[in-house]
Amino acid sequence: DIQMTQSPSTLSASVGDRVTITCRASQSISSWLAWYQQKPGKAPKLLIYQASSLESGVPSRFSGSGSGTEFILTISSLQPDDFATYYCQHYSGYPRTFGQGTKVEIK
Amino acid sequence: EVQLVESGGGLVQPGGSLRLSCAASGFSFSGHWMTWVRQAPGKGLEWVANIKQDGSEKYYVDSVKGRFTISRDNPKNSLYLQMNSLRAEDTAVYYCARDRSVSSWSLFFDCWGQGTLVTVSS
């Protein structure tokens, strides 16, 4: 099985900060990676797919990069609505697996 | 508007069974792979199973193989998860999700339901 490891697990940041979250795959997954945002008590929301494609309706301050085994989610200027937990997920084979999540907290 | 509404969750004893349903609307249900994802209380997301458009392919995470069965009824725009031999570790919110793919390959999940809570406890 492909393991997905995110870092950090928790991130404290202020409004306006540039934030980066890393996701590493245990083997190459090409660009078969998606990023989701989840707020407490809510369903996840798709942000990025194919490692770097922005989902329709998602603000342009979100961006994704990487391929192979290392991927990055960047929020260029953190907004109050962005405090949430972020998950990466691969779709290169089965089982699909998610990273353990990165919680972005208010500093 | 795309909508997915799960139902069927509740409290069940260990070893018991439960059937979850997901009612889809606002899109061509029969054209998409569909998926179940779960989230234990305070934990991360875990992919559980998915099913191809015509039901001809189904995939499961190892921990539920032989106990859970995913199925769909395209004329009824509905997705199901039959859960047998339930264990305490199956306690979670179960989400139904639409796969973006309309091809032979499952991809990522672009629409999610609100989830239904399954609690396995005596």
Side-chain angles (χ1 to χ4, degrees):
Chain A
D1 296 0
I2 298 173
Q3 307 303 320
M4 307 300 293
T5 303
Q6 290 181 230
S7 60
S9 296
T10 306
L11 187 160
S12 295
S14 301
V15 173
D17 284 353
R18 180 181 181 88
V19 167
T20 60
I21 298 169
T22 299
C23 175
R24 290 186 173 87
S26 59
Q27 63 190 72
S28 178
I29 57 169
S30 185
S31 296
W32 304 117
L33 184 98
W35 288 96
Y36 302 87
Q37 176 194 66
Q38 187 181 33
K39 296 180 179 179
K42 300 295 186 182
K45 173 188 173 183
L46 176 66
L47 298 176
I48 301 282
Y49 61 93
Q50 209 62 21
S52 60
S53 295
L54 190 68
E55 174 68 349
S56 176
V58 174
S60 58
R61 62 180 179 273
F62 290 92
S63 64
S65 63
S67 66
T69 61
E70 186 157 331
F71 303 85
I72 295 174
L73 174 70
T74 300
I75 309 173
S76 60
S77 178
L78 197 65
Q79 299 301 300
D81 191 48
D82 302 338
F83 292 97
T85 300
Y86 294 84
Y87 295 92
C88 61
Q89 176 240 325
H90 84 83
Y91 45 103
S92 173
Y94 289 98
R96 307 292 200 237
T97 49
F98 291 85
Q100 81 280 14
T102 295
K103 185 175 183 180
V104 177
E105 298 181 328
I106 300 173
K107 190 172 183 179
Chain B
E1 178 195 5
V2 174
Q3 200 166 15
L4 297 168
V5 179
E6 301 94 335
S7 60
L11 176 63
V12 61
Q13 292 189 338
S17 298
L18 214 53
R19 188 195 196 205
L20 305 184
S21 299
C22 172
S25 60
F27 67 101
S28 177
F29 179 76
S30 62
H32 289 262
W33 283 79
M34 295 296 295
T35 291
W36 289 99
V37 173
R38 68 183 178 183
Q39 186 169 37
K43 303 297 184 182
L45 301 169
E46 181 182 36
W47 173 84
V48 174
N50 68 353
I51 184 169
K52 196 176 180 179
Q53 291 93 329
D54 61 359
S56 61
E57 293 182 36
K58 304 175 184 181
Y59 299 92
Y60 299 90
V61 67
D62 280 351
S63 60
V64 309
K65 282 180 183 174
R67 300 189 300 122
F68 289 12
T69 302
I70 189 172
S71 62
R72 63 192 297 162
D73 186 333
N74 286 341
K76 292 185 177 180
N77 291 333
S78 293
L79 177 71
Y80 306 102
L81 187 67
Q82 177 66 43
M83 304 186 296
N84 298 331
S85 302
L86 282 161
R87 307 167 180 167
E89 54 265 35
D90 296 318
T91 294
V93 173
Y94 284 74
Y95 293 101
C96 159
R98 185 184 79 169
D99 197 298
R100 171 65 57 86
S101 175
V102 293
S103 73
S104 297
W105 301 98
S106 168
L107 298 174
F108 48 88
F109 319 128
D110 63 354
C111 295
W112 297 64
Q114 85 289 348
T116 187
L117 177 62
V118 172
T119 303
V120 184
S121 175
S122 55

